[in-house]
Amino acid sequence: MTPAADPGGGAVKHVANFDLQITDDIRICGMRLLMARDGRLLTYAPTALGGRRSVTFSPETTAAITHAARNSYLELVTADDRSSPAAA
């Protein structure tokens, strides 16, 4: 998990990038973790040339990926900012 260099200025904030190891044989590089205005975290697979999604997931798999990415992100934020409420 790596914090995003540019959060963007749209309706959602790009907060981090991460690679997703599906199996020992399959890894998806360049996943994005985004934060909606209401605080929800969303995950997006990388896009191919032309902006098309290169990978899609079922709703259940998406929820599991987002949950794992959220936990990893919160650990990262807590480790980097000891003054945050999550660090207390």
Side-chain angles (χ1 to χ4, degrees):
M1 177 85 44
T2 306
D6 179 14
V12 294
K13 179 181 171 187
H14 183 181
V15 296
N17 298 304
F18 63 98
D19 297 339
L20 177 64
Q21 186 82 36
I22 300 291
T23 70
D24 288 342
D25 299 319
I26 301 171
R27 180 185 308 177
I28 301 171
C29 300
M31 296 283 296
R32 294 173 290 147
L33 183 63
L34 307 172
M35 184 178 291
R37 288 186 180 162
D38 64 4
R40 286 179 303 127
L41 289 171
L42 311 165
T43 53
Y44 282 88
T47 55
L49 294 174
R52 291 188 57 173
R53 293 225 179 135
S54 57
V55 180
T56 61
F57 306 102
S58 70
E60 296 81 10
T61 300
T62 299
I65 292 168
T66 302
H67 179 76
R70 176 189 179 278
N71 289 344
S72 181
Y73 176 70
L74 291 177
E75 287 176 13
L76 177 71
V77 171
T78 301
D80 286 343
D81 181 9
R82 293 291 177 200
S83 64
S84 74

XYZ file of all heavy atoms in Angstrom:
647
model
N 0.856 -1.167 0.000
C 0.000 0.000 0.000
C 0.902 1.230 0.000
O 1.776 1.354 0.843
C -0.895 -0.047 1.235
C -1.811 1.110 1.438
S -3.422 1.106 0.613
C -4.073 -0.509 0.825
N 0.655 2.115 -0.963
C 1.428 3.336 -1.094
C 0.471 4.522 -1.176
O -0.454 4.497 -1.996
C 2.276 3.301 -2.387
O 3.055 2.117 -2.396
C 3.174 4.512 -2.492
N 0.653 5.548 -0.346
C -0.221 6.720 -0.445
C -0.160 7.314 -1.850
O 0.893 7.320 -2.493
C 0.367 7.693 0.585
C 1.126 6.839 1.531
C 1.651 5.681 0.707
N -1.295 7.806 -2.323
C -1.360 8.415 -3.647
C -0.630 9.753 -3.638
O -0.773 10.543 -2.704
C -2.813 8.608 -4.064
N 0.160 10.014 -4.676
C 0.909 11.269 -4.779
C -0.029 12.441 -5.045
O 0.185 13.541 -4.558
C 1.951 11.161 -5.883
N -1.088 12.212 -5.813
C -2.037 13.272 -6.163
C -3.452 12.765 -5.900
O -3.929 11.883 -6.593
C -1.879 13.657 -7.633
C -2.856 14.734 -8.070
O -3.492 15.384 -7.214
O -2.985 14.925 -9.291
N -4.139 13.324 -4.886
C -5.481 12.833 -4.561
C -6.537 13.204 -5.591
O -7.622 12.664 -5.574
C -5.781 13.488 -3.212
C -4.913 14.695 -3.167
C -3.690 14.362 -3.983
N -6.227 14.114 -6.502
C -7.199 14.529 -7.507
C -8.181 15.525 -6.944
O -8.194 15.816 -5.754
N -9.019 16.048 -7.798
C -9.960 17.070 -7.368
C -11.403 16.728 -7.684
O -12.252 17.606 -7.705
N -11.677 15.475 -7.923
C -13.030 15.068 -8.292
C -13.905 14.758 -7.090
O -13.595 15.121 -5.958
N -14.976 14.042 -7.342
C -15.936 13.689 -6.300
C -15.372 12.668 -5.319
O -15.842 12.562 -4.198
C -17.212 13.142 -6.926
N -14.369 11.921 -5.748
C -13.703 10.967 -4.873
C -12.219 11.311 -4.812
O -11.644 11.812 -5.770
C -13.902 9.503 -5.326
C -15.343 9.077 -5.198
C -13.400 9.290 -6.728
N -11.613 11.043 -3.658
C -10.200 11.340 -3.434
C -9.392 10.061 -3.583
O -9.706 9.045 -2.960
C -10.046 11.908 -2.021
C -8.642 12.246 -1.630
C -8.620 12.782 -0.200
C -7.212 12.928 0.297
N -7.169 13.295 1.717
N -8.359 10.107 -4.404
C -7.464 8.963 -4.596
C -6.505 8.946 -3.406
O -5.671 9.827 -3.277
C -6.717 9.137 -5.914
C -5.827 8.005 -6.267
N -5.071 8.005 -7.405
C -5.545 6.830 -5.659
C -4.373 6.897 -7.479
N -4.640 6.167 -6.426
N -6.628 7.951 -2.528
C -5.829 7.946 -1.304
C -4.632 7.004 -1.342
O -3.639 7.246 -0.665
C -6.688 7.669 -0.042
C -7.693 8.783 0.173
C -7.382 6.328 -0.116
N -4.708 5.911 -2.122
C -3.585 4.970 -2.130
C -3.637 4.063 -3.353
O -4.677 3.912 -3.996
C -3.602 4.116 -0.865
N -2.485 3.446 -3.627
C -2.352 2.420 -4.654
C -1.874 1.144 -3.967
O -1.151 1.215 -2.970
C -1.309 2.836 -5.696
C -1.709 4.093 -6.408
O -2.770 4.179 -6.979
N -0.844 5.089 -6.358
N -2.275 0.004 -4.507
C -1.817 -1.259 -3.936
C -1.861 -2.358 -4.975
O -2.528 -2.236 -6.007
C -2.638 -1.646 -2.696
C -4.102 -1.902 -2.964
C -4.572 -3.201 -3.124
C -5.011 -0.864 -3.044
C -5.916 -3.456 -3.356
C -6.359 -1.096 -3.269
C -6.811 -2.395 -3.429
N -1.096 -3.402 -4.720
C -1.120 -4.599 -5.558
C -1.914 -5.659 -4.816
O -1.865 -5.753 -3.590
C 0.297 -5.097 -5.838
C 1.118 -4.094 -6.630
O 0.523 -3.217 -7.289
O 2.356 -4.189 -6.583
N -2.643 -6.467 -5.557
C -3.535 -7.465 -4.979
C -3.089 -8.859 -5.410
O -3.088 -9.169 -6.600
C -4.968 -7.198 -5.446
C -6.042 -8.157 -5.008
C -6.214 -8.132 -3.495
C -7.358 -7.815 -5.689
N -2.688 -9.684 -4.453
C -2.284 -11.064 -4.728
C -3.528 -11.944 -4.603
O -4.031 -12.177 -3.503
C -1.211 -11.507 -3.731
C -0.634 -12.851 -4.015
C 0.452 -12.798 -5.072
O 1.212 -11.844 -5.125
N 0.525 -13.816 -5.897
N -4.034 -12.416 -5.725
C -5.243 -13.248 -5.745
C -4.902 -14.690 -5.377
O -5.548 -15.302 -4.547
C -5.908 -13.207 -7.135
C -6.307 -11.774 -7.504
C -7.108 -14.139 -7.211
C -7.430 -11.196 -6.697
N -3.905 -15.236 -6.034
C -3.393 -16.577 -5.745
C -1.869 -16.499 -5.845
O -1.318 -15.446 -6.178
C -3.910 -17.628 -6.758
O -3.301 -17.378 -8.030
C -5.421 -17.615 -6.883
N -1.197 -17.620 -5.631
C 0.255 -17.633 -5.808
C 0.641 -17.314 -7.247
O 1.753 -16.857 -7.514
C 0.835 -18.995 -5.416
C 0.821 -19.219 -3.918
O 0.697 -18.236 -3.162
O 0.936 -20.387 -3.502
N -0.275 -17.547 -8.175
C 0.010 -17.362 -9.601
C -0.555 -16.071 -10.191
O -0.232 -15.733 -11.329
C -0.570 -18.532 -10.403
C 0.036 -19.856 -9.995
O 1.262 -19.893 -9.774
O -0.710 -20.849 -9.883
N -1.415 -15.360 -9.451
C -2.084 -14.185 -10.009
C -1.939 -12.985 -9.079
O -2.334 -13.039 -7.913
C -3.590 -14.450 -10.247
C -3.773 -15.623 -11.210
C -4.284 -13.197 -10.771
C -5.199 -16.083 -11.337
N -1.380 -11.912 -9.615
C -1.277 -10.649 -8.881
C -1.790 -9.535 -9.798
O -1.443 -9.492 -10.967
C 0.162 -10.346 -8.490
C 0.255 -9.018 -7.732
C 1.657 -8.597 -7.429
N 2.374 -9.678 -6.773
C 3.647 -9.607 -6.442
N 4.351 -8.542 -6.711
N 4.236 -10.619 -5.845
N -2.596 -8.654 -9.250
C -3.093 -7.494 -9.990
C -2.377 -6.267 -9.438
O -2.532 -5.925 -8.266
C -4.615 -7.352 -9.850
C -5.305 -8.610 -10.366
C -5.107 -6.108 -10.591
C -6.775 -8.683 -10.084
N -1.576 -5.647 -10.275
C -0.809 -4.465 -9.871
C -1.570 -3.202 -10.251
O -2.260 -3.164 -11.261
C 0.550 -4.477 -10.549
S 1.538 -5.923 -10.136
N -1.435 -2.191 -9.420
C -2.026 -0.899 -9.742
C -3.464 -0.715 -9.301
O -4.178 0.127 -9.856
N -3.913 -1.467 -8.306
C -5.249 -1.234 -7.755
C -5.264 0.144 -7.089
O -4.231 0.632 -6.633
C -5.603 -2.306 -6.721
C -5.709 -3.714 -7.258
S -7.228 -4.037 -8.160
C -8.465 -3.848 -6.882
N -6.426 0.776 -7.049
C -6.552 2.100 -6.442
C -7.565 2.065 -5.306
O -8.601 1.417 -5.407
C -7.005 3.118 -7.481
C -5.981 3.358 -8.563
C -6.504 4.245 -9.661
N -7.517 3.491 -10.400
C -8.593 4.018 -10.968
N -8.831 5.297 -10.893
N -9.448 3.263 -11.614
N -7.248 2.777 -4.233
C -8.161 2.955 -3.111
C -8.612 4.412 -3.136
O -7.785 5.327 -3.126
C -7.468 2.630 -1.794
C -8.326 2.700 -0.539
C -9.461 1.662 -0.584
C -7.472 2.490 0.701
N -9.918 4.614 -3.206
C -10.495 5.948 -3.290
C -11.409 6.198 -2.105
O -12.003 5.255 -1.567
C -11.304 6.095 -4.587
C -10.575 5.733 -5.879
C -11.553 5.748 -7.044
C -9.425 6.672 -6.143
N -11.526 7.465 -1.699
C -12.433 7.822 -0.613
C -13.517 8.744 -1.155
O -13.231 9.806 -1.715
C -11.702 8.529 0.530
C -12.617 8.830 1.709
S -11.773 9.605 3.094
C -10.758 8.255 3.648
N -14.773 8.316 -0.980
C -15.910 9.120 -1.399
C -16.110 10.271 -0.422
O -15.590 10.265 0.691
C -17.170 8.245 -1.458
N -16.878 11.257 -0.831
C -17.135 12.425 0.025
C -17.767 12.041 1.356
O -17.569 12.713 2.360
C -18.016 13.427 -0.703
C -17.290 14.143 -1.795
C -18.118 15.227 -2.414
N -17.346 15.878 -3.464
C -17.863 16.615 -4.396
N -19.163 16.834 -4.434
N -17.099 17.161 -5.304
N -18.529 10.939 1.365
C -19.178 10.506 2.605
C -18.260 9.644 3.479
O -18.679 9.134 4.506
C -20.480 9.771 2.316
C -20.290 8.474 1.538
O -19.142 8.076 1.267
O -21.318 7.854 1.191
N -16.995 9.481 3.063
C -16.021 8.729 3.859
C -15.879 7.266 3.486
O -14.988 6.586 3.986
N -16.758 6.757 2.627
C -16.651 5.359 2.199
C -15.385 5.157 1.385
O -14.995 6.016 0.600
C -17.831 4.948 1.317
C -19.111 4.740 2.033
C -20.240 4.356 1.082
N -20.407 5.390 0.053
C -20.405 5.163 -1.255
N -20.281 3.927 -1.724
N -20.543 6.142 -2.118
N -14.728 4.015 1.583
C -13.569 3.663 0.775
C -14.017 2.737 -0.349
O -14.833 1.837 -0.144
C -12.501 2.996 1.622
C -11.794 3.940 2.597
C -10.912 3.163 3.554
C -10.981 4.975 1.847
N -13.501 2.973 -1.544
C -13.850 2.211 -2.732
C -12.568 1.704 -3.370
O -11.538 2.383 -3.331
C -14.585 3.095 -3.736
C -15.745 3.927 -3.196
C -16.137 4.999 -4.181
C -16.917 3.016 -2.885
N -12.615 0.523 -3.956
C -11.453 -0.002 -4.667
C -11.769 -0.107 -6.148
O -12.891 -0.425 -6.539
C -11.027 -1.381 -4.139
O -12.141 -2.263 -4.145
C -10.462 -1.284 -2.737
N -10.751 0.182 -6.956
C -10.882 0.095 -8.409
C -9.689 -0.648 -8.978
O -8.548 -0.416 -8.577
C -10.950 1.496 -9.044
C -12.305 2.125 -8.891
C -12.610 2.877 -7.763
C -13.281 1.952 -9.860
C -13.857 3.442 -7.607
C -14.540 2.523 -9.706
C -14.807 3.261 -8.582
O -16.059 3.823 -8.431
N -9.974 -1.524 -9.928
C -8.924 -2.237 -10.637
C -8.258 -1.270 -11.615
O -8.831 -0.252 -11.980
C -9.521 -3.435 -11.384
N -7.049 -1.595 -12.038
C -6.376 -0.727 -13.007
C -7.131 -0.710 -14.333
O -7.900 -1.626 -14.634
C -5.003 -1.368 -13.166
C -5.160 -2.765 -12.709
C -6.259 -2.769 -11.700
N -6.899 0.345 -15.085
C -7.530 0.448 -16.400
C -6.506 0.172 -17.489
O -5.305 0.383 -17.311
C -8.143 1.841 -16.621
O -7.133 2.828 -16.412
C -9.296 2.092 -15.676
N -7.002 -0.312 -18.606
C -6.149 -0.576 -19.767
C -6.142 0.666 -20.652
O -6.826 1.650 -20.364
C -6.694 -1.778 -20.532
N -5.392 0.597 -21.715
C -5.378 1.707 -22.660
C -6.800 2.016 -23.108
O -7.592 1.118 -23.354
C -4.505 1.371 -23.868
C -3.012 1.222 -23.569
C -2.279 0.758 -24.817
C -2.430 2.513 -23.051
N -7.118 3.275 -23.183
C -8.468 3.671 -23.570
C -9.398 3.809 -22.382
O -10.558 4.152 -22.537
N -8.891 3.542 -21.167
C -9.691 3.732 -19.965
C -10.622 2.588 -19.606
O -11.396 2.692 -18.664
N -10.582 1.490 -20.345
C -11.438 0.340 -20.022
C -10.895 -0.399 -18.824
O -9.689 -0.537 -18.652
C -11.504 -0.614 -21.206
C -12.261 -0.018 -22.372
C -12.473 -1.019 -23.425
N -13.179 -2.163 -22.840
C -13.638 -3.170 -23.529
N -13.461 -3.218 -24.805
N -14.264 -4.160 -22.934
N -11.778 -0.898 -17.983
C -11.342 -1.704 -16.836
C -10.705 -2.982 -17.339
O -11.213 -3.640 -18.233
C -12.530 -2.039 -15.946
C -13.072 -0.810 -15.288
C -13.356 -1.040 -13.850
N -13.859 0.207 -13.302
C -14.882 0.298 -12.518
N -15.507 -0.786 -12.134
N -15.275 1.463 -12.068
N -9.583 -3.331 -16.734
C -8.882 -4.534 -17.164
C -9.301 -5.759 -16.361
O -9.062 -6.881 -16.772
C -7.369 -4.335 -17.059
O -7.006 -3.984 -15.748
N -9.933 -5.534 -15.201
C -10.365 -6.622 -14.321
C -11.669 -6.188 -13.663
O -11.827 -5.028 -13.311
C -9.313 -6.885 -13.214
C -9.749 -8.013 -12.300
C -7.953 -7.177 -13.797
N -12.586 -7.127 -13.490
C -13.799 -6.858 -12.714
C -13.970 -7.957 -11.673
O -13.414 -9.048 -11.809
C -15.053 -6.784 -13.604
O -15.227 -8.036 -14.268
C -14.950 -5.661 -14.624
N -14.750 -7.656 -10.635
C -14.971 -8.588 -9.537
C -16.458 -8.652 -9.215
O -17.182 -7.681 -9.428
C -14.226 -8.128 -8.279
C -12.763 -7.885 -8.481
C -12.273 -6.599 -8.618
C -11.871 -8.944 -8.541
C -10.923 -6.365 -8.803
C -10.514 -8.724 -8.727
C -10.048 -7.426 -8.863
N -16.885 -9.759 -8.629
C -18.261 -9.870 -8.144
C -18.433 -8.900 -6.972
O -17.448 -8.492 -6.348
C -18.552 -11.296 -7.677
O -17.829 -11.559 -6.475
N -19.673 -8.545 -6.642
C -19.895 -7.658 -5.493
C -19.303 -8.212 -4.194
O -18.730 -7.460 -3.394
C -21.413 -7.551 -5.406
C -21.887 -7.783 -6.806
C -20.928 -8.807 -7.365
N -19.391 -9.517 -3.986
C -18.845 -10.127 -2.773
C -17.321 -10.024 -2.736
O -16.728 -9.720 -1.697
C -19.279 -11.599 -2.667
C -20.773 -11.800 -2.527
C -21.540 -11.719 -3.845
O -20.924 -11.699 -4.919
O -22.783 -11.648 -3.788
N -16.682 -10.284 -3.869
C -15.225 -10.184 -3.937
C -14.784 -8.733 -3.780
O -13.810 -8.449 -3.078
C -14.701 -10.777 -5.257
O -15.100 -12.158 -5.323
C -13.192 -10.683 -5.358
N -15.517 -7.816 -4.393
C -15.211 -6.392 -4.242
C -15.278 -5.976 -2.782
O -14.397 -5.262 -2.283
C -16.183 -5.536 -5.077
O -16.030 -5.891 -6.454
C -15.923 -4.053 -4.899
N -16.296 -6.438 -2.071
C -16.433 -6.103 -0.647
C -15.253 -6.647 0.156
O -14.717 -5.957 1.030
C -17.749 -6.641 -0.097
N -14.825 -7.869 -0.146
C -13.687 -8.467 0.569
C -12.386 -7.714 0.258
O -11.576 -7.457 1.160
C -13.555 -9.940 0.203
N -12.184 -7.340 -0.995
C -10.993 -6.577 -1.385
C -10.989 -5.221 -0.689
O -9.974 -4.790 -0.136
C -10.927 -6.401 -2.913
C -10.673 -7.744 -3.588
C -9.863 -5.380 -3.304
C -10.886 -7.731 -5.089
N -12.127 -4.539 -0.699
C -12.227 -3.216 -0.075
C -11.985 -3.308 1.420
O -11.288 -2.467 2.000
C -13.591 -2.577 -0.377
O -13.743 -2.480 -1.807
C -13.705 -1.194 0.231
N -12.508 -4.334 2.064
C -12.305 -4.522 3.508
C -10.813 -4.703 3.819
O -10.280 -4.066 4.734
C -13.115 -5.719 3.989
C -12.960 -6.009 5.437
N -13.577 -5.259 6.416
C -12.230 -6.948 6.084
C -13.225 -5.731 7.600
N -12.416 -6.753 7.428
N -10.143 -5.559 3.048
C -8.712 -5.791 3.269
C -7.899 -4.529 2.977
O -6.981 -4.183 3.732
C -8.235 -6.956 2.400
N -8.239 -3.825 1.904
C -7.517 -2.591 1.562
C -7.748 -1.522 2.621
O -6.827 -0.791 2.991
C -7.959 -2.089 0.189
N -8.968 -1.441 3.123
C -9.287 -0.466 4.180
C -8.426 -0.735 5.412
O -7.838 0.180 5.982
C -10.766 -0.552 4.543
C -11.174 0.345 5.687
C -12.622 0.040 6.130
N -12.997 0.872 7.238
C -12.692 0.630 8.511
N -11.988 -0.432 8.833
N -13.074 1.447 9.465
N -8.346 -1.983 5.834
C -7.544 -2.335 7.007
C -6.074 -1.985 6.796
O -5.420 -1.443 7.690
C -7.701 -3.814 7.344
C -9.071 -4.130 7.906
O -9.807 -3.240 8.321
N -9.432 -5.394 7.888
N -5.551 -2.300 5.626
C -4.160 -1.992 5.318
C -3.935 -0.483 5.308
O -2.928 0.014 5.832
C -3.789 -2.600 3.965
O -2.451 -2.346 3.662
N -4.864 0.254 4.726
C -4.752 1.717 4.676
C -4.799 2.323 6.079
O -4.007 3.197 6.406
C -5.865 2.296 3.805
C -5.874 3.799 3.768
C -4.860 4.493 3.098
C -6.872 4.524 4.396
C -4.860 5.881 3.062
C -6.875 5.906 4.361
C -5.867 6.580 3.691
O -5.863 7.950 3.661
N -5.715 1.844 6.909
C -5.812 2.379 8.273
C -4.544 2.086 9.070
O -4.114 2.923 9.875
C -7.052 1.826 8.981
C -8.385 2.336 8.435
C -9.546 1.662 9.155
C -8.485 3.846 8.520
N -3.937 0.933 8.865
C -2.653 0.628 9.514
C -1.576 1.606 9.042
O -0.777 2.094 9.835
C -2.213 -0.799 9.205
C -3.019 -1.850 9.921
C -2.620 -3.257 9.511
O -1.552 -3.427 8.861
O -3.368 -4.189 9.823
N -1.568 1.894 7.753
C -0.595 2.824 7.184
C -0.784 4.224 7.749
O 0.173 4.867 8.179
C -0.734 2.851 5.660
C 0.153 3.818 4.895
C 1.600 3.342 4.933
C -0.322 3.938 3.458
N -2.019 4.689 7.782
C -2.313 6.033 8.283
C -1.966 6.122 9.762
O -1.361 7.097 10.216
C -3.794 6.393 8.045
C -4.177 7.677 8.756
C -4.062 6.525 6.556
N -2.317 5.103 10.527
C -2.029 5.098 11.965
C -0.524 5.083 12.220
O -0.029 5.789 13.072
C -2.696 3.886 12.648
O -4.104 3.966 12.420
C -2.430 3.868 14.117
N 0.211 4.312 11.433
C 1.660 4.237 11.606
C 2.335 5.563 11.251
O 3.323 5.949 11.861
C 2.239 3.126 10.745
N 1.766 6.285 10.282
C 2.352 7.556 9.847
C 1.934 8.739 10.677
O 2.579 9.766 10.672
C 2.003 7.830 8.385
C 2.792 6.955 7.434
O 3.799 6.380 7.852
O 2.380 6.845 6.269
N 0.832 8.628 11.397
C 0.300 9.783 12.145
C -0.099 9.350 13.541
O -1.222 8.971 13.786
C -0.898 10.382 11.406
C -1.478 11.598 12.106
O -0.857 12.094 13.074
O -2.550 12.060 11.691
N 0.822 9.432 14.473
C 0.570 9.020 15.839
C -0.391 9.960 16.567
O -0.863 9.640 17.649
C 1.883 8.936 16.624
C 2.787 7.848 16.134
C 2.175 6.518 16.460
N 2.981 5.438 15.929
C 2.512 4.233 15.731
N 1.288 3.944 16.023
N 3.297 3.296 15.263
N -0.699 11.120 15.973
C -1.625 12.060 16.625
C -3.073 11.817 16.216
O -3.975 12.425 16.744
C -1.248 13.502 16.262
O -1.397 13.722 14.875
N -3.292 10.891 15.259
C -4.661 10.635 14.813
C -5.459 9.904 15.892
O -4.893 9.197 16.713
C -4.650 9.811 13.520
O -4.295 8.474 13.804
N -6.786 10.080 15.903
C -7.615 9.370 16.879
C -7.455 7.866 16.804
O -7.531 7.174 17.801
C -9.044 9.782 16.516
C -8.897 11.040 15.731
C -7.555 10.965 15.057
N -7.190 7.322 15.597
C -7.022 5.877 15.440
C -5.763 5.378 16.144
O -5.663 4.228 16.503
C -6.981 5.508 13.951
N -4.785 6.271 16.332
C -3.530 5.869 16.950
C -3.617 5.873 18.466
O -2.776 5.306 19.143
C -2.409 6.818 16.509
N -4.624 6.514 19.018
C -4.749 6.619 20.480
C -5.230 5.340 21.103
O -5.769 4.491 20.509
C -5.684 7.754 20.823
